[in-house]
Amino acid sequence: MRFLKSDSRLISVLLVLAITQLIGWGTIGLPAVVGRELADGLGMSLPGVFAGSSVLYVTMGLCAPLLAKAFARHGARKVMMVGTIVSAPGYIVLFFAREPLLYFAGWVILGMGGSATLSTGAYIMLNEVAGRGAKNAIGGLMLVTGLSSSIFWPTTSFLSGHLGWRGTCLVYAAMMLLINLPLYAFLVPRRKLATDHGGASAKAAPPPAIPRSTFGLVVCVITLNAFVNFGISAILIELLRAEGLAPAQALAFGSMLGVIQVSARGLDLLGGGRWDGITTGLVAGTALPVAMLLLMTSEGATWAVAAFILLYGAGSGAMAVARATIPLVFYDQAEFAKAMSMIALPLNLASAISPPLLVGLLTQFGGRGALGLTFVFSCVTVLILVLLGRRRPQAAAAVAT
């Protein structure tokens, strides 16, 4: 927690991002709460309604690389302000939607805005303030944003109960313009390059170039883990039911997952600067294949399901921090924004593809099909992390030891 004592500017940015990221991620969870109401109001099937989230992720992924130069040239603050202005009309389009075409158009607009404001932009902003020291701040931010569904699912339920889902969309559009936009405009300081030991700008001493093969490994490890985490989280209840649990048991075990994931992020945060994203990833990533192997071989035993939830929850929670902070090991400010923008494309595509693909495997082959694929991906992830550990720049290796 040392970063909280070191830089009041960083604390200010972190508080702004905590609020805006909670609102950003919380509001796009609309279908999870009012999916059936959306389906009735639009004359769509429930899977069709949830496909809006896939459209969001695909759009975010496709737009993210296009923003790389904007982040580098203008800084995260300006890009996130524009993204917020773009996001608000997305909810207004959803308000007016009466058919699938306009409904999906709303999610495309939200995806365009989200590519500038959700996660990637926040990490770039923290890196602008703290440089390599942004790992702890990112971990702290993720600790807060992990609660977005816990805060906004009941909020969405309350608002839709009084205003309907269309009125809720208008409220969320107003929140973008009346809360998020002023916070970025007035409470986030203008970009200032982080310095090394209080001296000259870190930009004055450019780091050695990182091989393209290393960037490829970083992309692979982040994409594979995103596929596993987003996919398993989406199908968890159905996966546990396929393993023989009663619906009430599956729901009870599944409800524990979010708490365990947030707790794991908190433990990583308490570690301060004593390890980097690769070390976090190696420890957390090893827990995932163990958890999946345990569930595959236990035939639905209650103790094994509990152990799976504990291991998978802790591993996936800490791996979420690792996904965001592994690039900090290799890239300084000059390249971090570009790297994160390029990584966002495969990451978001994996997030969009994994739930329907794993659902298909679950339907056709049962739990072994979905667990088998995620087990393989998790093992490959650990192997790539070992390779990345050997490629650490000397400065980052010194921090990690």
Side-chain angles (χ1 to χ4, degrees), residues 208-222:
I210 301 299
R212 288 188 177 182
S213 60
T214 298
F215 178 71
L217 291 175
V218 171
V219 171
C220 285
V221 78
I222 290 175

Side-chain angles (χ1 to χ4, degrees), residues 62-357:
L62 293 175
C63 291
L66 304 178
L67 294 175
K69 289 184 178 180
F71 275 119
R73 180 177 301 175
H74 303 293
R77 173 178 170 272
K78 290 183 178 180
V79 175
M80 295 179 82
M81 287 173 63
V82 173
T84 301
I85 295 171
V86 171
S87 294
Y91 290 108
I92 296 174
V93 170
L94 291 181
F95 169 81
F96 284 109
R98 294 292 187 279
E99 71 287 326
L101 182 61
L102 205 56
Y103 174 73
F104 289 121
W107 287 108
V108 169
I109 296 171
L110 288 172
M112 293 169 62
S115 65
T117 59
L118 295 177
S119 292
T120 298
Y123 304 153
I124 291 172
M125 180 178 287
L126 290 173
N127 178 256
E128 290 174 355
V129 177
R132 291 191 188 277
K135 178 185 184 295
N136 295 328
I138 290 174
L141 177 62
M142 297 185 75
L143 187 62
V144 176
T145 56
L147 302 172
S148 60
S149 59
S150 299
I151 294 172
F152 269 86
W153 283 7
T155 300
T156 299
S157 178
F158 173 81
L159 289 173
S160 64
H162 288 78
L163 304 174
W165 67 265
R166 295 185 188 277
T168 302
C169 289
L170 290 182
V171 172
Y172 288 165
M175 291 177 73
M176 291 290 157
L177 297 177
L178 300 179
I179 299 177
N180 287 15
L181 185 59
L183 286 175
Y184 290 135
F186 301 115
L187 294 184
V188 173
R190 297 182 184 276
R191 179 170 59 170
K192 176 183 177 184
L193 293 176
T195 59
D196 293 329
H197 309 296
S201 169
K203 201 173 181 180
I210 301 299
R212 288 188 177 182
S213 60
T214 298
F215 178 71
L217 291 175
V218 171
V219 171
C220 285
V221 78
I222 290 175
T223 302
L224 288 173
N225 180 254
F227 180 96
V228 171
N229 281 18
F230 279 86
I232 290 293
S233 296
I235 70 164
L236 181 62
I237 303 299
E238 292 301 322
L239 175 63
L240 295 179
R241 293 182 65 177
E243 291 297 312
L245 271 68
Q249 283 182 302
L251 181 61
F253 276 114
S255 299
M256 297 164 52
L257 184 64
V259 176
I260 297 172
Q261 288 175 326
V262 171
S263 299
R265 295 179 186 183
L267 289 174
D268 183 77
L269 176 64
L270 291 174
R274 288 189 288 275
W275 53 75
D276 61 15
I278 294 176
T279 303
T280 296
L282 279 170
V283 175
T286 302
L288 298 184
V290 173
M292 291 159 193
L293 186 62
L294 185 63
L295 191 60
M296 281 192 290
T297 58
S298 66
E299 298 185 354
T302 302
W303 67 268
V305 173
F308 167 78
I309 293 294
L310 181 61
L311 287 171
Y312 174 76
S316 61
M319 276 300 298
V321 179
R323 287 201 308 269
T325 57
I326 286 173
L328 289 171
V329 177
F330 299 99
Y331 299 101
D332 284 332
Q333 287 186 5
E335 293 296 326
F336 182 79
K338 179 180 178 182
M340 289 300 292
S341 296
M342 298 302 293
I343 291 169
L345 172 57
L347 187 152
N348 282 288
L349 292 180
S351 303
I353 293 170
S354 58
L357 178 56

